[in-house]
Amino acid sequence: MTSKKEYKLTVLAIDGGGIRGIVPAKILAEIEERTDEPIHELFDLIAGTSTGGILSLGLVKPKKDKPGEAEFRAEHIADLYENEREKIFKKQEKLYLPAPLDKLPHNKLVLSKLLDLLRSLPLPFTFNPEELLGPKFTRSEKINTINTLLGETPLNQALTEIIITSYAIEKRKPFLFTSNPDKELKSEKFYRICSNYKMYHAALATSAAPTYFRPYDSDFISSNIENELFVDGGVIANNPTSIAIIEAMESYKKQIKPEIDLKDILVVSLGTGRATDKYSKETKEWGVIQWVKPLINMVFNGQSEIIDYQIEHLLSKEQYYRFQFKCEKRPSKPNTDQKYYVSEAMDDTSKENIEELKKAADKLIKEQSSDLTKLCEVLKASLETRELRNKRKI
C-alpha cells in the first residue's frame, strides 16, 4: 500500500563527489518529471557539499525576469556537468615551486629530475608527481563555468533555503553558507554566513577539494566580503544530511513554532557513489606519498556512509529516502551481472566514464522506481501541509 503521509517539513541533501554529481542530477531530473514540480518547490531546505553544493545552488537560482521561477531544471545541470567537464577539470600546465624554492637557481632542473624518478615508482594509483608541488587542476575555467551558471545572484535570493558546506583554513572553522540572513552566526565552533555573499562564492568555496584545486580566496574576485581561504566542504561533511535536518529544524523553530517532531520531517539524501575498490595489505608499508590521494577518498567516502547509517537509525523507513550506487572497476574478464563500471575517482571525466555514470543513474532509477514513486507521491501530498513553504507563499 502506498503511503501518502503529509509532512510539515521536507529536506534534501546532496553529497560531494566531483564528476559523479551527474547521478544525483539525473535522480532529481526524474523527480521533477514525475512530480511536474521544480525541486525548489518540493523542499523547504536543500543542503549540498562540493559538487552537491553546485547542483543545489543551480536549482535554487531564480530567473531574472521571473524571480519566483527557477532558471534551471535538474536535467540542464546534468548536461552542464557532461558538456563542461573538461573546463571544470582542466589540468594545471605549469610546474609550481613552493616558496622559497622558486627564488633559487637550478631548482626547476633538479625537481624535474626528481619528478622523473617518482614517475618510475610502482604506485597503487594513478599519480602525477607534479601534484606534489601544486594543485592538479587550474581554477580559471572552473570559475568561468560557475559564473556562467550562477552569475551575480546573491545567496539570499535562493528560491528555497540553502545550506552549503565549506571549511575556512585560516580561522580553522566549519563555514556554512546560508541563504537565510536571519540565521547568520559567528561562534567559537562555526560560522554561518550570508550577507554580501553571492551564490558563486559558496559554489567555489565548497568545491575547492585539497590537492585537486587551490583553496578559494574569497577576496579573489570580490572586496566586499571578509577575506578568507576556503576548502571543500567534504572535509567536514561530505554527506550533509544531518546538517540539513538540524538547519531545517532551526528554521522551523524560528519561523513557525518552538519545536517540530522528527516524525514530521521527510528527508531525501542523494549519494555520489560508494567506493568498493579494496586496498591491499601493502598499505602497512605506505608513506606520505602513497597515502595522500587514497586518504582523501577514504575520508569523503567514510563520512558519507557513517552519516547514512546514523540517519537510517534515527528516522523511519517511511521518512528517509537514500539513493546511492556503487563505484566498481571494469573487471579484467567479462562480467554480465554488472551493467555499469563507474570509476570512484572524482575527476574521471573520460567519455567512457560519463557514459557509465549515466548508466548507473538509469539503473538506480529503475531499481528504486517504486521508492521514487512513493517519494514523489508524498512530496506532492505534502505541498499544502508544509508550513515553511506556505509562509513563503503569503
Side-chain angles (χ1 to χ4, degrees), residues 7 9 34-35 42 50 52 61 64 77 103 108 114 121 124 150 168 173 176 209 291-292 322 324 385:
Y7 289 90
L9 200 57
R34 293 192 186 198
T35 60
L42 297 172
S50 196
K61 179 190 174 184
K64 286 184 179 180
I77 301 177
K103 305 297 182 184
K108 207 155 196 175
L114 176 59
L121 296 177
L150 301 174
K173 296 179 190 295
L176 302 179
W291 267 111
V292 173
R322 171 74 168 170
Q324 178 64 297
T385 59

Side-chain angles (χ1 to χ4, degrees), residues 113-151:
K113 297 293 185 184
L114 176 59
L115 295 179
D116 287 340
L117 174 62
L118 288 171
R119 287 188 191 94
S120 68
L121 296 177
L123 295 175
F125 49 88
T126 302
F127 175 70
N128 293 319
E130 287 84 356
E131 294 171 42
L132 284 175
L133 305 174
K136 185 174 183 179
F137 301 106
T138 181
R139 68 178 181 182
S140 58
E141 292 291 343
K142 175 185 169 186
I143 288 174
N144 292 337
T145 300
I146 288 177
N147 281 346
T148 299
L149 176 70
L150 301 174

Side-chain angles (χ1 to χ4, degrees), residues 14 23 28 30-31 53 124 148 185 244 274 305 315 330 332:
I14 311 173
V23 176
L28 291 172
E30 184 71 15
I31 290 172
T148 299
L185 175 67
R274 180 183 298 115
E305 296 308 310
L315 305 178
R330 185 175 296 277
S332 55

Side-chain angles (χ1 to χ4, degrees), residues 3 13 76 102 105 116 127 149 155 192 211 228 236 241 270 278 280 282 288 306 336 355 389:
S3 171
H76 173 92
D102 58 341
D116 287 340
F127 175 70
L149 176 70
L155 262 177
R192 191 164 51 209
T211 76
E228 186 54 72
I236 60 165
T241 305
L270 304 181
K278 296 179 180 179
S280 69
E282 292 174 3
V288 173
I306 200 66
T336 56
E355 291 304 314
R389 174 183 180 271

Side-chain angles (χ1 to χ4, degrees), residues 113-313:
K113 297 293 185 184
L114 176 59
L115 295 179
D116 287 340
L117 174 62
L118 288 171
R119 287 188 191 94
S120 68
L121 296 177
L123 295 175
F125 49 88
T126 302
F127 175 70
N128 293 319
E130 287 84 356
E131 294 171 42
L132 284 175
L133 305 174
K136 185 174 183 179
F137 301 106
T138 181
R139 68 178 181 182
S140 58
E141 292 291 343
K142 175 185 169 186
I143 288 174
N144 292 337
T145 300
I146 288 177
N147 281 346
T148 299
L149 176 70
L150 301 174
E152 293 287 324
T153 312
L155 262 177
N156 62 11
Q157 288 185 12
L159 292 169
T160 194
E161 186 172 349
I162 195 99
I163 291 287
I164 306 296
T165 64
S166 188
Y167 185 79
I169 57 179
E170 291 184 304
K171 287 187 172 62
R172 298 294 296 273
K173 296 179 190 295
F175 261 57
L176 302 179
F177 291 87
T178 176
S179 59
N180 188 344
D182 295 332
K183 290 173 67 177
E184 285 194 305
L185 175 67
K186 295 183 178 180
S187 73
E188 288 296 316
K189 295 179 180 179
F190 74 99
Y191 277 30
R192 191 164 51 209
I193 51 180
C194 175
S195 299
N196 298 321
Y197 282 88
K198 300 183 186 298
M199 287 186 175
Y200 72 81
H201 289 133
L204 291 169
T206 193
S207 61
T211 76
Y212 292 93
F213 294 100
R214 292 171 61 188
Y216 172 59
D217 185 342
S218 60
D219 196 38
F220 181 64
I221 42 183
S222 176
S223 58
N224 297 323
I225 53 180
E226 185 177 359
N227 190 22
E228 186 54 72
L229 280 175
F230 296 103
V231 294
D232 198 291
V235 304
I236 60 165
N238 200 57
N239 177 346
T241 305
S242 57
I243 290 176
I245 295 170
I246 292 167
E247 289 295 324
M249 292 177 74
E250 183 169 341
S251 294
Y252 185 92
K253 182 178 179 180
K254 284 178 177 290
Q255 298 179 49
I256 308 297
K257 296 176 181 177
E259 302 291 343
I260 183 171
D261 199 301
L262 274 177
K263 65 179 176 57
D264 291 322
I265 305 174
L266 176 70
V267 178
V268 180
S269 179
L270 304 181
T272 55
R274 180 183 298 115
T276 60
D277 194 21
K278 296 179 180 179
Y279 292 104
S280 69
K281 293 182 179 180
E282 292 174 3
T283 54
K284 293 185 295 183
E285 311 299 328
W286 281 6
V288 173
I289 292 177
Q290 295 102 320
W291 267 111
V292 173
K293 281 293 175 67
L295 184 59
I296 292 172
N297 291 337
M298 288 178 191
V299 169
F300 285 10
N301 185 73
Q303 283 186 4
S304 290
E305 296 308 310
I306 200 66
I307 292 297
D308 176 36
Y309 165 79
Q310 292 169 351
I311 303 300
E312 192 177 49
H313 284 74

Side-chain angles (χ1 to χ4, degrees), residues 7 9-11 264-268 318-319 321 375 378-379:
Y7 289 90
L9 200 57
T10 58
V11 170
D264 291 322
I265 305 174
L266 176 70
V267 178
V268 180
E318 290 74 24
Q319 65 181 131
Y321 290 81
L375 170 61
V378 174
L379 286 170

Side-chain angles (χ1 to χ4, degrees), residues 319-356:
Q319 65 181 131
Y320 177 54
Y321 290 81
R322 171 74 168 170
F323 296 93
Q324 178 64 297
F325 63 100
K326 290 182 180 179
C327 298
E328 298 209 25
K329 280 187 176 180
R330 185 175 296 277
S332 55
K333 296 181 180 179
N335 182 352
T336 56
D337 294 332
Q338 184 68 31
K339 295 182 180 178
Y340 65 87
Y341 305 95
V342 170
S343 168
E344 70 176 69
M346 295 186 290
D347 59 339
D348 186 347
T349 59
S350 65
K351 185 175 181 180
E352 180 184 52
N353 194 53
I354 297 299
E355 291 304 314
E356 296 301 309

